[in-house]
Amino acid sequence: MADADTKPQGDHHSSRRLRLQTLVRLRWLAVGGQTVTVMIVAFWLKFPMPLLACCVLIACLAWINFFLTLRYPPTHRLEPPAAFALLGLDLLQLCGLLLITGGLANPFSALVCVPVIISFASQPIRYSMALIVLAMICITGLAFSPFPLPWYDGVEVNVHSVMQLGVWCSIASTMAFAAFYAYRVSMEASQLADALSATELVLQREKHLSQLDGLAAAAAHELGTPLATISVVAKEMERELSQDDRFREDVALLRSQSERCRDILRRLTTLSSEDEAHMRRLTLSSMMEEVIAPHREFGIGLELIEKSPRAGEPVLSRNAGIMYGLGNLIENAVDYARQKVTVTVEYDAETLTIVIEDDGNGYSPEILTRIGEPYVTTRQRDDTAGGLGLGLFIAKTLLERSGANLAFGNRDPETPGARIRVEWPRVLIDSNSTK
């Protein structure tokens, strides 16, 4: 369970590459929008503007897009340097178009933020930071554009320097805020997806281990027929060659070993379907002993307190998710306890409750609000409690899938330590309850 707490090393976004087709479609949208805007300004509003230069810049973007469409398949994914180059090219093309049409006085100057936001949402942080620096340089250059804003003949639009500074600050702050927001949302979504994938792998492994008995019985059944054939042939060979000193011992050994194999297979297939059903169900006390047993040999006292009588205790199906989740919580309690971990089990007609308490330092207030998030930094032993990483996220997810409600907190002020309360509606997990 320890390796479930390990956070992936390296850049978190390096495994998520931007699909070229997505970028190409966005660029065709940009080409269309720029073309329509230039046509409206030049031919409908009839504002004087450098039409040829604008058309050349738009045509360059369209030509590059057309080339990429022909050169690469739709499923091609861009490496971070290639994505940075294309987004940087988009940024420079847009800034060039804005430069010759009024700079920051152009109402479309806020679109400079778009390539930066795309980068922060999908690319490694080092490339995104480089792109936002390039964008800041570009909008600073736009503030000093020598070209006037296209406007009515004989009317010159002069934007005061204070207004230019205000527009610059507006674009810069919008870019920074939107980029940070996109980065955080994308990173959290990616971490959650990775953590859920790890949860599925853990659950699959636990289910696989629980199914080994069935696989062994099936294998024994399939091997029975060929082994019976070998045994019959060995008997025939022993009868025919019993007087031949060269083969007598070898044939006897072959027969004895075939009989031994048949005995082994017979033991594997002795479990009836009723026995298998019995193994798939266990009482609450048996489950708790099975969960706690692997953690008793670490020098920390582990006490199981059963507040309710065993008579009439819940009977549970062997759920790999529940057993792994509880085991992980107990393991964490043992890791950070000083001397003792207490597991208290209580049930009534409505609920089943398991409380896990340790005598460590407990959780710090800032960590309590984040417990259960994936990849929270692991808390340090003999220090104020921190997060418990991916392992706790997996345990929490598996237990909640079974219908449990989890509450994390600290013990009473005079009794240091952490407390985890896991509670199920009894009807959800008790096989004997009427659902």
Side-chain angles (χ1 to χ4, degrees), residues 85-124:
L86 290 178
L87 291 171
L89 181 63
D90 293 344
L91 178 64
L92 293 175
Q93 186 268 350
L94 177 60
C95 288
L97 200 58
L98 292 171
L99 180 69
I100 61 177
T101 55
L104 292 185
N106 191 312
F108 293 99
S109 56
L111 291 175
V112 173
C113 300
V114 174
V116 175
I117 295 172
I118 293 174
S119 180
F120 271 89
S122 61
Q123 297 303 300

Side-chain angles (χ1 to χ4, degrees), residues 4 8 20 37 48 57 85 120 197 233 351 364 382 405 414:
L20 179 61
T37 302
L57 286 171
F120 271 89
S197 296
V233 172
T351 61
S364 60
D382 297 328
N405 294 313
E414 61 273 11

Side-chain angles (χ1 to χ4, degrees), residues 179-258:
F180 175 76
Y181 181 81
Y183 173 73
R184 288 296 304 174
V185 170
S186 175
M187 182 179 66
E188 290 174 5
S190 181
Q191 287 180 343
L192 184 61
D194 292 343
L196 288 174
S197 296
T199 302
E200 295 294 342
L201 289 175
V202 168
L203 187 58
Q204 184 179 8
R205 183 185 66 182
E206 294 297 317
K207 288 181 177 179
H208 174 72
L209 292 176
S210 67
Q211 293 170 352
L212 286 181
D213 287 342
L215 292 175
H221 182 269
E222 293 296 326
L223 290 173
T225 300
L227 191 59
T229 302
I230 294 174
S231 180
V232 170
V233 172
K235 288 180 182 179
E236 294 295 330
M237 293 176 64
E238 185 178 28
R239 185 168 57 253
E240 296 294 331
L241 302 175
S242 59
Q243 304 303 320
D244 193 329
D245 294 337
R246 296 176 301 170
F247 303 110
R248 183 172 58 250
E249 292 184 1
D250 291 338
V251 172
L253 179 63
L254 176 62
R255 182 184 175 189
S256 65
Q257 292 303 308
S258 66

Side-chain angles (χ1 to χ4, degrees), residues 97-362:
L97 200 58
L98 292 171
L99 180 69
I100 61 177
T101 55
L104 292 185
N106 191 312
F108 293 99
S109 56
L111 291 175
V112 173
C113 300
V114 174
V116 175
I117 295 172
I118 293 174
S119 180
F120 271 89
S122 61
Q123 297 303 300
I125 188 64
R126 60 183 181 274
Y127 292 98
S128 300
M129 290 302 298
L131 191 65
I132 198 172
V133 169
L134 177 61
M136 291 294 185
I137 294 173
C138 289
I139 62 173
T140 302
L142 291 178
F144 299 98
S145 172
F147 300 94
L149 179 70
W151 204 245
Y152 295 101
D153 284 332
V155 180
E156 184 176 352
V157 178
N158 293 316
V159 180
H160 194 276
S161 58
V162 176
M163 180 60 74
Q164 291 269 32
L165 178 61
V167 173
W168 186 95
C169 292
S170 174
I171 295 174
S173 59
T174 300
M175 185 187 306
F177 175 80
F180 175 76
Y181 181 81
Y183 173 73
R184 288 296 304 174
V185 170
S186 175
M187 182 179 66
E188 290 174 5
S190 181
Q191 287 180 343
L192 184 61
D194 292 343
L196 288 174
S197 296
T199 302
E200 295 294 342
L201 289 175
V202 168
L203 187 58
Q204 184 179 8
R205 183 185 66 182
E206 294 297 317
K207 288 181 177 179
H208 174 72
L209 292 176
S210 67
Q211 293 170 352
L212 286 181
D213 287 342
L215 292 175
H221 182 269
E222 293 296 326
L223 290 173
T225 300
L227 191 59
T229 302
I230 294 174
S231 180
V232 170
V233 172
K235 288 180 182 179
E236 294 295 330
M237 293 176 64
E238 185 178 28
R239 185 168 57 253
E240 296 294 331
L241 302 175
S242 59
Q243 304 303 320
D244 193 329
D245 294 337
R246 296 176 301 170
F247 303 110
R248 183 172 58 250
E249 292 184 1
D250 291 338
V251 172
L253 179 63
L254 176 62
R255 182 184 175 189
S256 65
Q257 292 303 308
S258 66
E259 292 294 336
R260 181 183 177 189
C261 289
R262 291 186 66 183
D263 290 339
I264 293 173
L265 293 182
R266 192 178 298 112
R267 287 197 297 270
L268 287 176
T269 55
T270 52
L271 286 178
S272 65
S273 59
E274 293 182 359
D275 293 331
E276 292 177 5
H278 174 73
M279 292 296 293
R280 288 196 295 267
R281 301 176 67 201
L282 69 171
T283 61
L284 175 62
S285 56
S286 298
M287 185 194 74
M288 293 309 302
E289 286 296 338
E290 187 171 335
V291 170
I292 290 174
H295 310 291
R296 292 190 182 276
E297 307 299 327
F298 295 96
I300 299 295
L302 235 173
E303 181 182 6
L304 175 63
I305 300 176
E306 299 180 68
K307 287 189 173 182
S308 304
R310 290 194 175 184
E313 66 179 326
V315 177
L316 297 83
S317 298
R318 183 178 293 274
N319 187 312
I322 292 178
M323 299 184 72
Y324 180 89
L326 289 175
N328 192 282
L329 296 180
I330 294 173
E331 180 185 37
N332 282 320
V334 170
D335 284 343
Y336 303 114
R338 290 191 178 97
Q339 295 180 342
K340 185 178 180 181
V341 172
T342 303
V343 181
T344 304
V345 180
E346 185 176 10
Y347 64 86
D348 55 29
E350 302 295 331
T351 61
L352 165 63
T353 304
I354 298 174
V355 179
I356 303 169
E357 298 175 307
D358 64 65
D359 59 356
N361 292 323

